[in-house]
Amino acid sequence: MKRLILAAMLAASAAGAAHADDALKAAIAGSHRAAANSARDVYRHPAETLAFFGIKPTMTVVELAPGGGWYTEILAPYLREKGKLIAAGSAPKEGDNFSKKVAANPGIYDKVQRGVFEPGKTYNFAAPGSADMVLTFRNVHNWADQGDDKLKTVFKAAYDSLKPGGVLGVVEHRLPAARPASYDTGYMHEAYVIKMLESAGFKLAAKSEINANPKDTADHKGGVWALPPVLTNKDTDRAKYLAIGESDRMTLKFVKP
């Protein structure tokens, strides 16, 4: 019976994500977002991606390794009034980029909580069983590159932070199944990511092709960073990489039983 339910959920996901609510659309359209970030929407599909994960404005959401805050720009205003956003990254330091971002626009970021998430060292970002959703975008390869044990520890920390029934949403650069694994390219096998998350106790709820890109062959000099927005090869084959766009990505929704 459980297998039939899972199969039905996976099949339903192929029909597309749920519709984004008005508050989410407003957050994405907000004038506070950097123009360079908004320009990536065409590749990253934030409305469809977050709706697929089932986000609601009343949730407590953890964003693991928010980096420059691309998704934080959307999540912070969306969750500000009724929910809670925990930005889980390196321990705050005076004058760090994230602190500057918060200080520059307190009306957007003043209620964002910061948790310490330093894989291999500290996972102090949320109380056990307190989060409705944990999200991570294009980060799994960084943890996998440091070994399976570290990856399992990260996923276990995410699992522990979630309430029963809580959701883990993962977006990651996807390596074709027939290609040998090489994490320093930034690409991951989807089956491996699923296996590692299931080993941490998660159950795969659904997959989506929202962030798929069939133009991406995943075999570029310089790995995924050859593609925009990084364009690590600079002028070499620049037109080719711009025509490809951003990477082909898996979009996976897991649930804590």
Side-chain angles (χ1 to χ4, degrees), residues 63 66 69-77 85 87 98 101 108-109 112:
E63 183 183 5
W70 195 92
Y71 259 100
T72 311
E73 287 187 348
I74 297 168
L75 295 169
L85 174 61
F98 201 92
K101 192 178 191 74
I108 298 294
Y109 304 108
V112 176

Side-chain angles (χ1 to χ4, degrees), residues 11-33:
S13 74
H19 294 294
D21 59 53
D22 289 342
L24 182 54
K25 293 176 182 177
I28 292 168
S31 60
H32 67 283
R33 295 186 66 203

Side-chain angles (χ1 to χ4, degrees), residues 190-199 204 207 252 254:
E190 185 173 300
Y192 172 76
V193 175
I194 293 172
K195 177 183 176 181
M196 294 297 287
L197 278 158
E198 289 180 337
S199 73
L204 179 64
K207 301 179 184 180
L252 308 172
F254 295 85

Side-chain angles (χ1 to χ4, degrees), residues 125-238:
F125 55 85
S130 64
D132 298 292
M133 181 175 286
V134 175
L135 300 172
T136 180
F137 303 98
R138 307 178 310 281
N139 288 311
V140 177
H141 60 277
N142 293 316
W143 307 322
D145 193 38
Q146 300 175 52
D148 285 1
D149 288 344
K150 179 167 285 188
L151 186 57
K152 288 179 182 177
T153 303
V154 169
F155 289 160
K156 182 62 165 56
Y159 184 92
D160 289 344
S161 74
L162 284 165
K163 301 173 182 177
V167 169
L168 172 66
V170 177
V171 176
E172 180 56 273
H173 312 293
R174 180 165 51 192
L175 184 68
R179 193 82 53 76
S182 180
Y183 303 143
D184 59 356
T185 67
Y187 290 96
M188 302 284 298
H189 285 139
E190 185 173 300
Y192 172 76
V193 175
I194 293 172
K195 177 183 176 181
M196 294 297 287
L197 278 158
E198 289 180 337
S199 73
F202 285 102
K203 300 297 182 183
L204 179 64
K207 301 179 184 180
S208 175
E209 293 300 299
I210 295 166
N211 296 300
N213 181 1
K215 296 180 182 179
D216 180 18
T217 56
D219 59 355
H220 319 295
K221 179 183 177 182
V224 70
W225 302 280
L227 298 175
V230 179
L231 295 168
T232 193
N233 297 324
K234 299 182 179 179
D235 290 335
T236 301
D237 293 326
R238 186 182 185 90

Side-chain angles (χ1 to χ4, degrees), residues 8 18 20 29 36 53 66 77-78 102 108 116 122 127 144 158 160 173 177 180 219 221 223 226 231 241 249:
F53 291 144
Y78 179 69
V102 171
I108 298 294
V116 182
T122 306
D160 289 344
H173 312 293
D219 59 355
K221 179 183 177 182
L231 295 168
Y241 295 132
R249 293 165 184 163

Side-chain angles (χ1 to χ4, degrees), residues 31-52:
S31 60
H32 67 283
R33 295 186 66 203
N37 288 345
S38 296
R40 313 318 301 169
D41 289 358
V42 67
Y43 301 111
R44 299 181 181 182
H45 313 102
E48 296 88 346
T49 298
L50 292 171
F52 170 72

